[in-house]
Amino acid sequence: DADVTQTPRNRITKTGKRIMLECSQTKGHDRMYWYRQDPGLGLRLIYYSFDVKDINKGEISDGYSVSRQAQAKFSLSLESAIPNQTALYFCATSVRASGRAGELFFGEGSRLTVL
Amino acid sequence: GESVGLHLPTLSVQEGDNSIINCAYSNSASDYFIWYKQESGKGPQFIIDIRSNMDKRQGQRVTVLLNKTVKHLSLQIAATQPGDSAVYFCAENFASNTGKLIFGQGTTLQVKP
């Protein structure tokens, strides 16, 4: 089984719908992240959480919200989806240890299409 | 704004040859750089990292070079294999010791048999 699991893997929805992408991890890491990947571009950080009570915005948080339900679970919501949120979304985890925090462990991605 | 960019979108090499993937960064204050490999249909996978107090670091078949003078980062893959075919991203840590990374656009490595 994957250490970082994302659901759903693929989703097609319509403009204005509310969508939730879920992420769970069995790595025991404190830190979790949501990144977005667009074709031909790198990944951009949406939100990150260093522990259950610590949630922070990344560089492209507008239109998104998150919830850290437990150490192992971090969900991303689009309250009212729009077509330019069509992208591949990745959840990632990392340890807190100094010197290793940049080593992210990614899930396999959730492909979202907003019509 | 700050950016991390790659010089070439696609690199095609013969199996067995060495590959060099380049990356330019613009934030002189960045102190930590990471290379990731993304295979088709999968999430990125950590390859190797380097801190700004180093200019070279070696792993298994991979070497990362950092030239702070010209803000340049490169990933060298020795004896490239078909399994190395993937998109390679450099990433810059803009907040030390966190996973808050700025990624480059990626270079696709194609390995010809």
Side-chain angles (χ1 to χ4, degrees), chain B residues 29-104:
Chain B
S30 294
D31 61 0
Y32 180 46
F33 305 88
I34 309 102
W35 282 99
Y36 283 87
K37 172 186 180 182
Q38 186 177 24
E39 297 176 330
S40 181
K42 296 187 177 181
Q45 181 179 15
F46 174 93
I47 302 173
I48 192 168
D49 58 5
I50 189 168
R51 296 206 170 273
S52 60
N53 61 353
M54 304 171 69
D55 54 18
K56 181 179 180 179
R57 191 172 188 203
Q58 289 184 295
Q60 187 175 14
R61 277 201 311 118
V62 295
T63 300
V64 56
L65 299 177
L66 176 62
N67 185 331
K68 294 181 289 294
T69 301
V70 295
K71 299 177 190 170
H72 184 268
L73 189 69
S74 68
L75 177 71
Q76 300 179 357
I77 304 173
T80 310
Q81 302 169 0
D84 294 326
S85 294
V87 179
Y88 290 81
F89 293 96
C90 64
E92 172 182 12
N93 196 216
F94 69 90
S96 294
N97 295 321
T98 74
K100 295 168 59 179
L101 305 178
I102 295 177
F103 283 82

Side-chain angles (χ1 to χ4, degrees), chain A residues 9 31 33 35 37 40-43 45 48 50 59 88 90 94 96 98-104 106-108, chain B residues 32 34 36 38 41-46 49 51 87 89 93-94 96-106:
Chain A
R9 295 291 312 279
R31 300 180 173 188
Y33 310 82
Y35 280 87
Q37 184 176 33
L41 300 179
L43 287 81
L45 181 63
Y48 62 100
F50 284 173
E59 61 180 308
L88 184 56
F90 285 101
S94 73
R96 184 186 305 176
S98 176
R100 294 184 57 198
E103 182 179 352
L104 301 182
F106 285 87
E108 298 212 323
Chain B
Y32 180 46
I34 309 102
Y36 283 87
Q38 186 177 24
K42 296 187 177 181
Q45 181 179 15
F46 174 93
D49 58 5
R51 296 206 170 273
V87 179
F89 293 96
N93 196 216
F94 69 90
S96 294
N97 295 321
T98 74
K100 295 168 59 179
L101 305 178
I102 295 177
F103 283 82
Q105 295 179 340

